[in-house]
Amino acid sequence: MYTGTLKSKSSGLKSVYRNTSLKCSGLLFLWTLNRKSSRKSSGLYTCIPEHFLQDFRFDDVYRNSSLKCSVVRRRGADGRIPVRTLDRGASSSAAAAEPTGYPGGPYDTSLLVKYEHHVARHIWFGEERGPKKELKVAGHGLKLNSRVPLALPPQMESWVSRSGLASLQRTSLNKIDTNLVSAFVERWHLETSSFHMPFGEMSITLDDVACLLHLPIRGIFWSPQDVTEELAVELAVDYLGVSQSQAQSHVRSCRGSYYKLEWLYDIFVHHRAASSWAYATRAYLLMLVGSTIFADKTFTLVEARYLLLFRDLDGCSGYSWGAAALVTLYRYLGDASMYSCKQLGGYPTLLQCWIHEYFPTVGKRGENWNPAGNCGLPRAMRWSYRQGVLKVDDLRPILDELTPTDVIWRPFEDHRAWRVFDEICLYRDCLKWGETVVPYLPDRCLRQFGYRQYVPSPPLDCMMATDIDVDWISYHQSVVDVIGSSSVATTPSEVVDGYLEWYYRVSHPRLVPPHRDAPREVPVPVYDVGPSDPDWARVSTLIRRYLRQVNAEEEDPQFSDLFEALHISRSH
């Protein structure tokens, strides 16, 4: 950093550093008048080298076209602008008037403390992650379909069935709609483990995992040991039945403690032919979870430490595989919601099928069977891939305009014959898998459980959690606390008075401004009470969307029949 005296015949600062890659022009020279000098053209300036720029928060550059210059403010860790960063000599009244929120984002930054780095903040100003607006998503559906046999040998089938993972053999979508998935990821916030929709929060819950994937949600969490490359070799020799040299060569080629999914499939095929059932089963199960619930952003590898889960093939059924899938997806959703991230790991089929269940009018949905006639298969198998025509930037305004009547709030009521609702899904605390700990907060999405949504408690600090396993076992009191402050909803989307006002202060109802650089809308919308039946809700949504597109007026006789149909659908 260089400090010196700037002298100029003209008043004002001549040099303004312009960084076009950040799409922001601001004052990167801190200027104060030199009080000791009587010459107005003299002043003290501080030139900031480029490598210090990462410490500045460009979201705090005021974007007001009426202003002639931009002033850089630096936020604190909580997202607020400390008083000490105001210009020297500023009055206390000026400090009180300093904005604490973000344009298009939360006014109150106490909830979404990481919003500064969130992709939604950038989208509001038209800043994309890169040339490709959608994320790169790890989907293994096509490869997995070719690797999963129509029938396993009876010796293997017994172990796979008892493991609790058998359903994962058939649930994967062949392809993923990356635009649809990416549009929802942009609304995910890791502080609350939820999607922030225009009408409140929603999330993927343990009940959703149980119904969509038929994974067990009760069970123990897994606490792994560190696995070095040397230990990864030993595990492959002991539990996959490969030679020392083969294991060393393979782990070395992976450049870390990983195994390639293709390599595991080859081991499975080899041992199945040799009737080495235990080795074949471990390779198969590791390939299966590595292609689904534990899929990472390498697209080809699975962590070697997960082989420890299958040392005892008779005991691996004791894990909460549903929690494992949810923790892994939450973690990757949190990463992908940050502006700097361009990939999504985890099980994208779980996310996309969740969208299909709750949002019938968003995206393309292909159906394999009707829920009423299914035979107890995992609900994710109901859906098939259909290529969508809408891109991410097409979907953003569609999501911005969603109302509660566009949502099927309880989509699995016709699936209860095969998956009874488990009250542990209302457990509010931290979930963990390995070293990953995430907050699980059903009190933020109570409408998905049939309760009135109230203003939830502040999120948990998982860094301070010490007895997660104990809390998980003694979940009952947590459930009582969650539903004790609410009541059964009389309409599917019911909220308590004041919820939307609170939500609009701490979150962002829209991702795209109605007009670029326009201020965020302050009024809280009052939604019409929509139909309670999901099918009628969809009819109501489709009619309303068409009438909105053609700017129809109810007084217009040309549209009288459609408005009558709309009123009839809303009454059901």
Side-chain angles (χ1 to χ4, degrees), residues 241-461:
V242 298
S243 67
Q244 183 82 15
S245 60
Q246 183 184 2
Q248 285 178 337
S249 175
H250 179 76
V251 171
R252 192 179 301 117
S253 70
C254 294
R255 299 184 179 183
S257 303
Y258 300 94
Y259 306 130
K260 292 181 180 178
L261 296 172
E262 186 177 0
W263 184 69
L264 292 170
Y265 176 69
D266 292 339
I267 292 175
F268 154 64
V269 172
H270 170 76
H271 286 309
R272 181 180 59 176
S275 300
S276 300
W277 305 123
Y279 291 146
T281 303
R282 292 192 189 99
Y284 180 75
L285 288 174
L286 187 55
M287 178 204 66
L288 184 62
V289 296
S291 302
T292 54
I293 58 176
F294 296 150
D296 65 15
K297 293 189 286 186
T298 65
F299 297 90
T300 57
L301 304 175
V302 61
E303 295 182 56
R305 61 180 181 153
Y306 290 139
L307 182 53
L308 294 169
L309 293 164
F310 306 115
R311 285 184 296 186
D312 179 10
L313 289 171
D314 292 315
C316 61
S317 60
Y319 294 115
S320 174
W321 293 113
L326 205 58
V327 170
T328 305
L329 184 58
Y330 276 15
R331 186 189 89 195
Y332 282 117
L333 284 171
D335 292 343
S337 67
M338 298 293 107
Y339 178 68
S340 58
C341 184
K342 295 178 174 60
Q343 292 177 295
L344 175 67
Y347 196 21
T349 287
L350 173 57
L351 173 55
Q352 184 166 328
C353 291
W354 180 86
I355 296 170
H356 290 333
E357 292 283 357
Y358 282 90
F359 300 91
T361 62
V362 179
K364 287 281 188 178
R365 310 189 307 169
E367 291 193 59
N368 296 321
W369 40 261
N370 187 296
N374 78 79
C375 54
L377 298 173
R379 189 65 168 250
M381 293 179 65
R382 171 187 178 186
W383 306 108
S384 59
Y385 171 77
R386 285 186 65 186
Q387 184 174 358
V389 297
L390 299 179
K391 301 299 183 183
V392 175
D393 46 1
D394 299 319
L395 288 163
R396 288 168 184 160
I398 291 175
L399 297 189
D400 280 350
E401 297 299 325
L402 289 176
T403 70
T405 58
D406 296 315
V407 180
I408 300 176
W409 288 99
R410 302 182 71 187
F412 304 116
E413 295 311 293
D414 56 359
H415 198 68
R416 294 305 175 191
W418 296 277
R419 278 299 180 272
V420 177
F421 178 77
D422 190 333
E423 67 175 8
I424 202 171
C425 298
L426 286 164
Y427 154 89
R428 181 190 188 273
D429 216 306
C430 295
L431 298 176
K432 77 171 186 177
W433 190 256
E435 73 285 351
T436 303
V437 180
V438 298
Y440 177 72
L441 308 172
D443 60 329
R444 311 194 77 89
C445 56
L446 283 171
R447 287 175 286 185
Q448 294 175 227
F449 298 100
Y451 291 92
R452 288 200 311 161
Q453 181 61 58
Y454 54 76
V455 176
S457 303
L460 302 167
D461 183 358

Side-chain angles (χ1 to χ4, degrees), residues 136-161:
K136 185 177 181 181
V137 181
H140 296 275
L142 281 175
K143 287 185 177 179
L144 193 59
N145 286 343
S146 66
R147 290 171 179 172
V148 171
L150 294 177
L152 290 169
Q155 298 87 339
M156 290 185 61
E157 182 64 40
S158 176
W159 274 320
V160 172
S161 297

